[in-house]
Amino acid sequence: MVALDHRRVTWSLLAVLVLLLALFLRTHNLDRVPPGLDGDEMFNGWDALRVWEGDVHVYFPANYGREPSLIYLIALATRLLGVGAWTLRLPSALCGVLGLALTWSLARRLFNVRVAVLTTALTCVSLWPVLLNRVALRAGLQPVCQVAAVYALWRALHLGAGQSKTRAPRPPGAVASRSRIGWAAAAGLFVGLTFYTYTAGRLFPAVLILWLLLVWILPGGQPSRHLSEDRRFWRTHGRQLALMCLVAGLVVLPIGLFALRHPETFNQRVQELDVKLRQLRAGNFDPIWRSVKDMLGMFTQRGDWDWRYNPSGRPVFDWSTGLLFYLGLLVSLFRVRKPAYSLLLVWLSVMLLPTVLSIGTPSFWHSVGALTPIYLMPAIGVDFVWEQVARWSRHFDRRSLVTRLVLALIVVVGLVFVAADTWQDYFGTWARHPEILDVFEADLAAAARHLNGYAQAEDGAVSHSPLPVWISSNYPGDLSRMVLRLQSDYPGPIRWFDGNQVTVWPSGWAGQDVLLLFTRSSPPNPDALAVLEDYSIYRENDLAGRPHLWVYRVPGHALSRVPWRFAHTLSGRFAYNREMLGYDIPEQVQRGIEVPVVVYWRVPPDVRYDTADLPFSFVCLRDRAAGRCLEKASHYMAYPIWDWTEGDVVAQRYEVPVPEYMPPQATDFHIGMNNRVGEISYADERLAGAQLLAGPVEIVGTVSVDSRWKADTPILNQELALLDHGMPAELAPGSTLEVSLEWQAVKSPAHDYVMRLELRDRATGDLAVSLEELVGTDRHPTTRWVSGELVYTFHKTRIPPDLGNGEFDLYLVLSDAASRQVSRDPFSLGVLSVSGRPHNFELPEPEYALSADFGSSIRLLGFDLKKVAPRPGGEIEVVLYWQALDTVSEDYKVFVHLYHPFIPGGLPGQHDSAPGNGAFPTSSWLAGEVVTDSHLVKIEPEADVGLSKIGVGLYLPSTGERLPVSVEGQPQPDDTLIITEVEITQN
């Protein structure tokens, strides 16, 4: 009895030492390794902070949906210990240690104390469990609940130990019954809780169901005759199992109801499983078979390839531990009739299904439900070897103790090597790998540490007055600031921008210094380096030796000036948005490269925005022949609008692609802004509603590419391949027919080719429209093309307004410079359907009649006022009646402006559109036609009260040029006709 107690104390002390080692490995330098917070950790931490604000869920829907258990544990930790990477990860680390303690108890009860020691020790020092328990991710909680559920179920079904020689005496029958009931309830509780841990936990009940069926089908096993002595299994254990199912059902009920009400949200993370299942249902077994092979190979050959979860490709076990794993698997198969072994086999098989069905097999994270049986297998293998050696050494009394000591020493040395390998691979290789530093945003963690420790030193004294801070990161609108908030308690104002795209020169801040921090994801660009280099105070490299933090402190007196000099100045602004200062563009650019365009702007005092419709800015390269953009560089929230402060000056850098197919020409860049409605109006002292064009810029060079023509591609005169073409399928009379042609030179052409477009009536063959133009441009005719050169050409011609409805064939005819046709037959580009609208020539009776001429072809006959609600936030409908004095060759836009009662140029309301909201383009008007044109002018909610004038006019969208307006021969100021006045009131 004394020897037994001594052995128990020894094993207990050993268990405590293993758990202490596990605690150390899971908490050492926890706020530095991993080197920052990744996106999933950030979402979990952010939701945890909002829990105390009342944002409570049984299933958190953001970030593709997440189970809540870890989030609530993090909420508790941050409430008690404050916010930081360490406290976010502490619940996972502690749950990992708790899981080890439960694994010890389970393994001792299923097998023996030797298996318990080996399993717990191996799990303690192995890389996969260590990495799993050092991140604030949900998967780490699943093994804990599973082990607790299995342990409680085993105790509920038979209270005795498995093969343990330290078996406790059985309690009396009544006590045993009550104890079994309690353990059954506990088993149900933890089975239910697995649904709240991780998505793969939804499969865990299948493990218990299949195991219980297997125990029932395969009677006769040991160690517990209570489980298998006859086929009265369900009668014997039915009450405990029913109670377990009842408790599990009650625990699962809340999340189950959520799943029924919101199946799309609840199943977002399992959608990827459907890919392989669909292939399986279609009879394609190859993807599943490859996944099975990859899954089987993850133990000793190739592990998870994702650096985020594993040093890429590192298997679960080294070769020696892997041999023990396979040995334990074989032992379990041979002893499958024993409930403990059948449990492990079912547990392992079922919980590996998620990784088999996942995209990117093997996945350690999706295999986490099988972690416990995986690490039990090597322990069973060692235990089997121990039993065989002990049986053999009994014949040699003197060698028996020595043999067991040597075997124990080998096991200990093996565990030391595993621990050393884990330390090196985790803290050395994995934590320093560039991909890990990027995924876990080590640069933002460094910024947080710098701000946390920052103090302004002046004359040897420390001032704790926080400075305003601007931080450059690649997700300035939301994610980056959320990651920093979880790691820094810096009290000063922090604003964000993306330094890849913009450099912010903050406004004066009443003479106060400011800090600008750039992170590796958005390092200082050339515009920043040009003005900030003299203000650098700190730089830091990451663990891979790469620069990842730059800190600049700009003195307050330097902020009052604009630090950049612009090559071209501007003096206009986009409506309720940025005030343009200037731009830098190259004078000449090569085809097929990206060119920098830097736009300078300032934050004006009256910025307005709608968070549901935030604008994006762009710069695009225009093709003058096409009159439209070819390639575009867009920025969205490069400097979030809610972080703007009045007077900030911004240098915004766009890398604009120059297409290889763009022919050499003199052109310009289009600088603009868009929202959901369309392009935001730009105005300067000359024009309103015009495009902001920056130029000119010369496109030069030739680019030869590999041949792109196919066997059926038309080859004209053995020199030009017509790769593709584009044309509309339907147009209205008076509109513009636009045709794009994609050419490639089969060889250097010997002629300057001319192409002719012919639009012919399909029924009669009569020519309706003809257009003849040079292939290429005057600067770059076909004789200058090189072999393999790719060129897009654009061609426009107007459909006559009086052309009748019908179908027309569009043909391409190619000729040389001497007008000799080089194509045998015209090449058909397609069929164009021309369909006109009804035309009205009846004179109207407007509510307010007048006569004003716009140019020489358009007259305004009068207008009506409807829906008049002249108050802030209200609207006014203005109906205009136009008459065409002659056909109009251009498509003009109509503007209706509500002018500010006090501020010159202020527009508290406006509406710009083509007549009839595009239904009656001016190019389709016939002489004498009358057009009714309605405009709904919405008044800004912040509009000032007072007497406001309403003005109308027409302008070309491409240039902003307005048509001159005259009344009885008298020109109107600003080419605007003031038609009436309205009183804006509060009521």
Side-chain angles (χ1 to χ4, degrees), residues 693-757:
L693 302 180
V697 59
E698 292 284 341
I699 310 299
V700 298
T702 58
V703 180
S704 179
V705 300
D706 294 336
S707 61
R708 297 184 182 177
W709 59 83
K710 301 177 182 178
D712 58 347
T713 299
I715 308 293
L716 305 179
N717 207 31
Q718 303 303 311
E719 292 184 338
L720 294 180
L722 183 60
L723 301 180
D724 199 3
H725 63 275
M727 58 171 288
E730 185 175 346
L731 284 177
S735 55
T736 301
L737 170 62
E738 298 184 358
V739 179
S740 63
L741 302 174
E742 180 183 353
W743 306 92
Q744 187 171 24
V746 177
K747 60 182 179 180
S748 296
H751 304 282
D752 287 336
Y753 289 103
V754 176
M755 66 103 229
R756 185 172 71 254
L757 294 176

Side-chain angles (χ1 to χ4, degrees), residues 421-652:
D421 196 36
T422 294
W423 185 274
Q424 175 58 36
D425 284 354
Y426 182 75
F427 292 100
T429 304
W430 184 83
R432 297 173 180 270
H433 193 275
E435 188 168 334
I436 291 303
L437 296 169
D438 293 340
V439 167
F440 284 89
E441 303 194 67
D443 50 356
L444 279 177
R449 289 193 298 270
H450 183 82
L451 290 177
N452 289 340
Y454 185 80
Q456 181 180 1
E458 293 181 0
D459 299 327
V462 177
S463 170
H464 296 285
S465 174
L467 299 180
V469 174
W470 273 258
I471 301 180
S472 168
S473 187
N474 57 344
Y475 290 102
D478 43 23
L479 301 183
S480 293
R481 62 182 70 211
M482 294 163 72
V483 170
L484 186 95
R485 168 69 179 83
L486 292 169
Q487 301 177 83
S488 174
D489 55 359
Y490 186 75
I494 299 178
R495 290 169 172 78
W496 294 81
F497 64 97
D498 185 350
N500 292 311
Q501 300 172 351
V502 302
T503 300
V504 179
W505 188 260
S507 57
W509 280 81
Q512 191 175 10
D513 294 1
V514 300
L515 291 178
L516 284 93
L517 281 68
F518 290 81
T519 59
R520 177 171 176 77
S521 65
S522 294
N525 64 36
D527 309 313
L529 294 174
V531 298
L532 290 175
E533 201 61 34
D534 292 340
Y535 305 114
S536 176
I537 61 171
Y538 180 75
R539 293 187 183 185
E540 180 178 305
N541 291 347
D542 61 20
L543 294 175
R546 307 172 304 172
H548 75 155
L549 182 64
W550 297 258
V551 183
Y552 302 91
R553 177 169 175 166
V554 183
H557 64 80
L559 297 173
S560 58
R561 60 179 177 84
V562 176
W564 296 283
R565 293 183 178 180
F566 328 129
H568 306 271
T569 59
L570 293 169
S571 58
R573 69 173 289 187
F574 290 94
Y576 299 109
N577 208 282
R578 55 192 65 179
E579 174 192 349
M580 307 305 294
L581 300 177
Y583 60 86
D584 294 338
I585 60 171
E587 295 180 355
Q588 190 179 83
V589 297
Q590 293 283 335
R591 298 161 64 187
I593 66 170
E594 288 188 343
V595 297
V597 175
V598 183
V599 178
Y600 302 94
W601 52 276
R602 181 167 25 223
V603 177
D606 56 343
V607 173
R608 300 178 188 176
Y609 63 92
D610 178 3
T611 54
D613 187 20
L614 294 173
F616 66 87
S617 62
F618 66 87
V619 172
C620 68
L621 185 61
R622 296 174 70 249
D623 184 284
R624 282 193 172 176
R628 61 181 176 87
C629 288
L630 296 184
E631 295 288 350
K632 177 187 293 187
S634 299
H635 292 172
Y636 179 71
M637 288 209 303
Y639 183 20
I641 198 167
W642 48 80
D643 281 341
W644 294 5
T645 57
E646 182 181 344
D648 291 347
V649 177
V650 178
Q652 190 151 3

Side-chain angles (χ1 to χ4, degrees), residues 273-285 288:
L273 304 182
D274 194 43
V275 175
K276 290 183 179 177
L277 290 176
R278 281 200 309 268
Q279 293 172 328
L280 190 62
R281 288 193 294 267
N284 184 6
F285 294 91
I288 290 292

Side-chain angles (χ1 to χ4, degrees), residues 124 380 672 978:
C124 166
I380 292 172
I978 302 299

Side-chain angles (χ1 to χ4, degrees), residues 402-425:
V402 174
T403 303
R404 283 182 288 178
L405 287 175
V406 170
L407 186 57
L409 181 62
I410 292 173
V411 171
V412 171
V413 170
L415 288 171
V416 169
F417 273 105
V418 171
D421 196 36
T422 294
W423 185 274
Q424 175 58 36
D425 284 354

Side-chain angles (χ1 to χ4, degrees), residues 236-407:
T236 305
H237 304 289
R239 186 168 60 169
Q240 292 95 313
L241 294 176
L243 179 60
M244 180 187 72
C245 293
L246 175 63
V247 173
L250 291 174
V251 174
V252 172
L253 183 61
I255 200 170
L257 291 175
F258 178 91
L260 291 174
R261 293 168 182 167
H262 310 282
E264 299 85 3
T265 302
F266 188 69
N267 293 317
Q268 284 183 91
R269 288 185 176 267
V270 298
Q271 295 298 323
E272 66 177 63
L273 304 182
D274 194 43
V275 175
K276 290 183 179 177
L277 290 176
R278 281 200 309 268
Q279 293 172 328
L280 190 62
R281 288 193 294 267
N284 184 6
F285 294 91
D286 288 344
I288 290 292
W289 176 236
R290 285 196 300 269
S291 290
V292 170
K293 289 193 295 183
D294 290 340
M295 178 271 294
L296 294 175
M298 79 180 195
F299 299 108
T300 55
Q301 297 178 22
R302 294 177 302 276
D304 198 326
W305 293 102
D306 192 340
W307 271 97
R308 183 184 178 198
Y309 306 120
N310 184 52
S312 185
R314 184 188 193 273
V316 176
F317 300 118
D318 58 76
W319 65 269
S320 56
T321 313
L323 287 176
L324 293 171
F325 168 81
Y326 293 124
L327 177 60
L329 189 61
L330 286 173
V331 170
S332 299
L333 287 170
F334 276 104
R335 297 175 179 176
V336 67
R337 287 182 174 273
K338 296 183 178 182
Y341 295 96
S342 62
L343 171 62
L344 291 194
L345 292 172
V346 173
W347 192 348
L348 179 67
S349 303
V350 173
M351 298 315 294
L352 284 175
L353 281 177
T355 192
V356 171
L357 296 175
S358 298
I359 297 173
T361 305
S363 168
F364 282 2
W365 242 240
H366 294 165
S367 308
V368 72
L371 186 142
T372 302
I374 286 173
Y375 281 93
L376 270 164
M377 290 300 176
I380 292 172
V382 172
D383 187 61
F384 176 78
V385 173
W386 186 283
E387 290 175 350
Q388 302 308 311
V389 170
R391 185 178 295 113
W392 171 79
S393 63
R394 287 195 194 103
H395 302 290
F396 310 95
D397 293 337
R398 294 182 180 179
R399 298 181 184 177
S400 176
L401 180 59
V402 174
T403 303
R404 283 182 288 178
L405 287 175
V406 170
L407 186 57

Side-chain angles (χ1 to χ4, degrees), residues 141-164:
L141 269 63
Q142 184 183 338
V144 185
C145 286
Q146 290 181 170
V147 172
V150 172
Y151 178 79
L153 177 60
W154 190 272
R155 294 293 301 269
L157 295 180
H158 62 101
L159 294 174
Q163 296 175 1
S164 174

Side-chain angles (χ1 to χ4, degrees), residues 12 96 152 172 181 209 340 424 451 463 488 504 565 568 601 680 710 785-786 793 799-800 834 840 854 869:
S12 298
I181 294 298
I209 294 171
Q424 175 58 36
L451 290 177
S463 170
S488 174
V504 179
R565 293 183 178 180
H568 306 271
W601 52 276
I680 297 174
K710 301 177 182 178
W785 296 12
V786 299
T793 61
I799 305 294
V834 177
N840 174 42
F854 292 76

